[in-house]
Amino acid sequence: MNFDLVVNTPVGKVGINLDGKQAFDVTLQPDVSRAKTPAQHAWLKEWLDSYFEDASNWSALPVSLSGTDYQQRVWSALRELGSGEVVTYGELAKSLGSGPRAIGQACRTNPCSLLVPCHRVVAANGRGGVHGHSNGSWPQIKSWLLKHEGVKI
């Protein structure tokens, strides 16, 4: 797959596709052999570098997300969470008049991981899964991001 920008980060490569200055696809650990940083996207690499240096440097970046009305509501709620803020699947579901499994499904289909911080949604009894995975590298990335943001799970 081709990306407009590929950045090496502490959690592996991050591939990003942009429409102007709006991200519409962020892929963690994309299947690419090398990172590329075109000059016109240096601003985004600087944002990523700043966040990975200090999680308090989090700020919402413009995104262009394709999804159902429900997914848009969930993703919008996630973008309101600041660095180090977490919410359980149940809490978010209650606030949106939904169910925890539906929240999990919307997180699973999130096209802009990291920029739409689904890693900040946790299970009532711990970390929970990420993108439909409860084992392997994805949960390790979620744990790393939460720890980086000062969250103890």
Side-chain angles (χ1 to χ4, degrees):
M1 178 172 201
N2 292 324
F3 294 94
D4 295 321
L5 175 69
V6 179
V7 178
N8 290 314
T9 74
V11 295
K13 286 184 173 67
V14 175
I16 303 172
N17 282 312
L18 299 150
D19 180 11
K21 288 215 172 208
Q22 293 187 336
F24 66 89
D25 173 45
V26 177
T27 302
L28 300 176
Q29 299 185 328
D31 188 18
V32 293
S33 59
R34 63 183 177 84
K36 62 180 181 176
T37 308
Q40 73 267 29
H41 303 312
W43 63 273
L44 184 51
K45 182 182 182 315
E46 289 172 14
W47 183 91
L48 287 164
D49 289 346
S50 179
Y51 167 74
F52 281 111
E53 182 179 311
D54 180 353
S56 69
N57 290 328
W58 171 266
S59 61
L61 290 178
V63 294
S64 176
L65 304 171
S66 295
T68 66
D69 288 344
Y70 178 76
Q71 290 168 330
Q72 295 286 348
R73 287 179 46 220
V74 172
W75 299 335
S76 179
L78 295 178
R79 290 179 47 80
E80 293 177 17
L81 296 172
S83 179
E85 287 183 69
V86 295
V87 64
T88 67
Y89 292 95
E91 291 167 340
L92 186 55
K94 185 175 181 180
S95 74
L96 295 176
S98 180
R101 288 180 191 239
I103 297 295
Q105 195 62 16
C107 289
R108 178 183 288 198
T109 60
N110 174 5
C112 284
S113 298
L114 195 59
L115 301 185
V116 177
C118 57
H119 65 274
R120 295 179 184 151
V121 182
V122 298
N125 61 350
R127 176 194 67 212
V130 63
H131 282 287
H133 302 278
S134 56
N135 296 310
S137 64
W138 284 99
Q140 291 171 354
I141 291 170
K142 181 175 183 173
S143 292
W144 190 95
L145 291 169
L146 290 172
K147 182 177 178 184
H148 178 62
E149 293 183 5
V151 176
K152 295 180 181 177
I153 298 286

